[in-house]
Amino acid sequence: MTIMIDVRGVEKSFTLHNQGGASFSVLEAVQLQVVAGECVVLHGQSGAGKSTLLKALYANYAVSSGSIVLRDGEQRVDITTALPRRILALRERTVGYVSQFLRVIPRIPTLQVVMQPLLDLGVDEAVCEDKAKDLLSRLNVPERLWSLSPSTFSGGEQQRVNIARGFIVDYPILLLDEPTASLDAANRQVVVQLINEAKARGAAVVGIFHDEDVREAVADRLVDIRAI
Amino acid sequence: MSNTAQTWQDIEPLLSVQQLSKFYAPGKGCGDVSFDLYPGEVLGIVGESGSGKSTLLNSLSARLAPDAGKVIYRSEQFGELDLYAGEESLRRQLMRSEWGIVHQHAADGLRMNVSAGANIGERLMAVGERHYGDIRARAEQWLQAVEIDSNRIDDKPTQFSGGMQQRLQIARNLVTHPRLIFMDEPTGGLDVSVQARLLDLLRTLVAQLGLSVIIVTHDLAVARLLAHRLMVMRRGEVVESGLTDQVLDDPQHPYTQLLVSSILQN
Ligand SMILES: Nc1ncnc2c1ncn2[C@@H]1O[C@H](COP(=O)(O)OP(=O)(O)OP(=O)(O)O)[C@@H](O)[C@H]1O
Ligand SMILES: Nc1ncnc2c1ncn2[C@@H]1O[C@H](COP(=O)(O)OP(=O)(O)OP(=O)(O)O)[C@@H](O)[C@H]1O
Ligand SMILES: [Mg+2]
Ligand SMILES: [Mg+2]
């Protein structure tokens, strides 16, 4: 079995320099291995550090110590020491991250927002467009919205656009931070299907899901993140 | 690990900056700056007013001789160059061809009393284009690329709005297909909606043309949108640098934390 994510001895603390220099530890001695085709669900109370770990896996947060090695084809990259451009290249084709929030860029229509990550890989525009339309349809985003910028969409609509964008590239590693929060049951079910399809093609998935039904449907394993 | 793997080792930096310093007075200027810029990378320089951003940018772009340190540029035409060791004429030639400079005030980067078409054409002529019809056609293409109606080609920049002037400045720079662009607050002084349009355009062009860019801005939203990497400056020093979203979302240095927390994030 191919180890796609290999986390060893990760510690993470925050120091709030402008609040009296208060320092607190969030992650200690985290070990985690995730293999291709597996979905690990992070579990733990609010504030335990689930999102912090997920962000560290995306190199959005720096860790205080330890290593996080991601598999990129035949290469293994420690993202705690890699150069920015190496991390950006990983994010282009290897590791995807979906949260509940869409970072909207004004003026860009929904269809373009969704297909952009695949276009950036040099995939034929027609192929990207078909895939984007398929994802938006599956996620029940009405066709009349596709040509509009998502900046004026409802929270739930933006969230579904964000999910479509997150699944447009077949990333070998997928990080999901409550992508189903506040979605209705029908749309949650679509996300479950998307995750299971990703697993079936061999993606390693790490997710945070508060809905019991989603967790049941996708998790191979629960990992406890304890508040320190 | 793959940092040392072939494909990542093969690519050489376009610009290597080594311990660059330029001070007007203690704390006024920039000191001991070192970094590599790789092809296709967009580096943002952020920091408060007076922190030395423009001083650094001017030293990097061969417009302000440093007190100490080196800037090495790997030129397409001239090979590896130590910028300030070489001839002045060489630096001027680079600026006309392989480099572009986008000024905060369009008036510093444009000739305000000649037409838009001539502003673009002038750069082409400086690199040896002579055919009038070709030059005019290219100028029209670039006006369209920056979303200026090509029937405004004979108008002077003084007849343009601030946002249009800025876009014209960008067209003038890009027409010669430079590899490296320096920008100092390119969206400063523009309305928010005009800024958004300009940023969107810049982002698209930079990605399409694979440009390397060094952009100075005090606007963290602009930095987030355009820059791959950030350098945070304070009182002439680089206090923190790294991947843009890591610097903004998990700032380590007290000053960066202050900078990030004092701004409403989008
Ligand atoms: N950028 C940051 N700077 C300072 N503290 C942070 C930062 N990000 C997270 N924290 C702190 O780290 C702790 C863990 O937060 P995290 O968001 O990882 O929790 P979580 O397990 O995802 O919780 P929830 O289930 O509520 O989303 C919290 O105390 C939080 O305030
Ligand atoms: N030609 C000069 N002679 C003397 N002092 C100068 C000169 N140019 C700049 N300085 C000083 O050097 C310091 C850095 O200036 P610089 O223009 O690099 O700042 P900046 O970060 O670009 O600020 P801003 O965001 O306001 O444009 C300032 O204190 C400035 O007053
Ligand atoms: Mg969380
Ligand atoms: Mg300045």
Side-chain angles (χ1 to χ4, degrees), chain B residues 24 28-29 48-55 185:
Chain B
Y24 296 103
K28 295 193 184 310
E48 68 197 350
S49 181
S51 58
K53 305 182 296 294
S54 298
T55 305
E185 307 277 8

Side-chain angles (χ1 to χ4, degrees), chain B:
Chain B
M1 299 268 142
S2 56
N3 273 336
T4 57
Q6 277 269 301
T7 46
W8 293 94
Q9 205 174 38
D10 285 354
I11 300 169
E12 282 191 309
L14 196 60
L15 201 69
S16 292
V17 181
Q18 299 162 11
Q19 279 128 36
L20 196 73
S21 295
K22 169 71 195 175
F23 281 107
Y24 296 103
K28 295 193 184 310
C30 63
D32 199 21
V33 178
S34 299
F35 68 90
D36 287 330
L37 183 79
Y38 287 87
E41 263 189 331
V42 179
L43 170 71
I45 304 174
V46 299
E48 68 197 350
S49 181
S51 58
K53 305 182 296 294
S54 298
T55 305
L56 176 58
L57 195 78
N58 293 341
S59 283
L60 294 174
S61 55
R63 290 173 293 168
L64 180 66
D67 304 332
K70 271 190 197 175
V71 181
I72 308 288
Y73 171 69
R74 289 188 179 73
S75 163
E76 218 165 21
Q77 319 161 62
F78 312 111
E80 190 170 306
L81 295 176
D82 180 342
L83 280 189
Y84 291 99
E87 294 285 310
E88 167 70 28
S89 63
L90 201 65
R91 294 198 283 275
R92 253 187 276 125
Q93 211 170 332
L94 279 180
M95 271 194 229
R96 282 200 301 260
S97 54
E98 295 183 33
W99 290 5
I101 295 179
V102 176
H103 300 262
Q104 173 173 1
H105 302 290
D108 295 333
L110 292 174
R111 293 220 291 145
M112 301 303 277
N113 53 354
V114 304
S115 72
N119 264 286
I120 300 177
E122 193 177 56
R123 272 275 290 198
L124 282 172
M125 279 153 65
V127 294
E129 290 280 346
R130 287 292 170 265
H131 188 280
Y132 177 78
D134 287 350
I135 291 174
R136 194 170 167 92
R138 295 268 293 281
E140 274 179 10
Q141 269 169 23
W142 272 100
L143 283 176
Q144 280 162 13
V146 298
E147 302 171 8
I148 295 174
D149 199 327
S150 53
N151 68 21
R152 303 291 302 267
I153 191 166
D154 296 316
D155 290 352
K156 290 179 182 163
T158 45
Q159 294 162 272
F160 288 178
S161 70
M164 283 168 79
Q165 289 179 4
Q166 232 25 352
R167 281 181 272 135
L168 177 61
Q169 208 193 159
I170 289 164
R172 172 180 160 98
N173 273 283
L174 293 185
V175 68
T176 53
H177 294 287
R179 307 161 77 209
L180 177 58
I181 310 267
F182 299 93
M183 302 189 192
D184 198 342
E185 307 277 8
T187 61
L190 299 176
D191 283 352
V192 177
S193 65
V194 178
Q195 265 193 32
R197 185 170 176 199
L198 186 69
L199 283 174
D200 182 27
L201 178 78
L202 275 176
R203 207 174 49 88
T204 311
L205 288 173
V206 165
Q208 271 172 5
L209 305 173
L211 297 173
S212 303
V213 180
I214 302 183
I215 177 171
V216 164
T217 177
H218 66 272
D219 186 335
L220 298 186
V222 170
R224 192 188 280 276
L225 198 63
L226 290 180
H228 299 136
R229 282 161 62 195
L230 286 188
M231 282 194 331
V232 183
M233 292 192 69
R234 180 182 174 236
R235 292 190 203 140
E237 257 182 80
V238 175
V239 296
E240 183 163 354
S241 65
L243 199 60
T244 298
D245 61 273
Q246 203 178 85
V247 170
L248 296 179
D249 296 338
D250 188 15
Q252 307 291 315
H253 191 276
Y255 176 69
T256 318
Q257 290 187 356
L258 195 66
L259 198 69
V260 168
S261 67
S262 59
I263 282 160
L264 289 173
Q265 298 262 316
N266 59 347

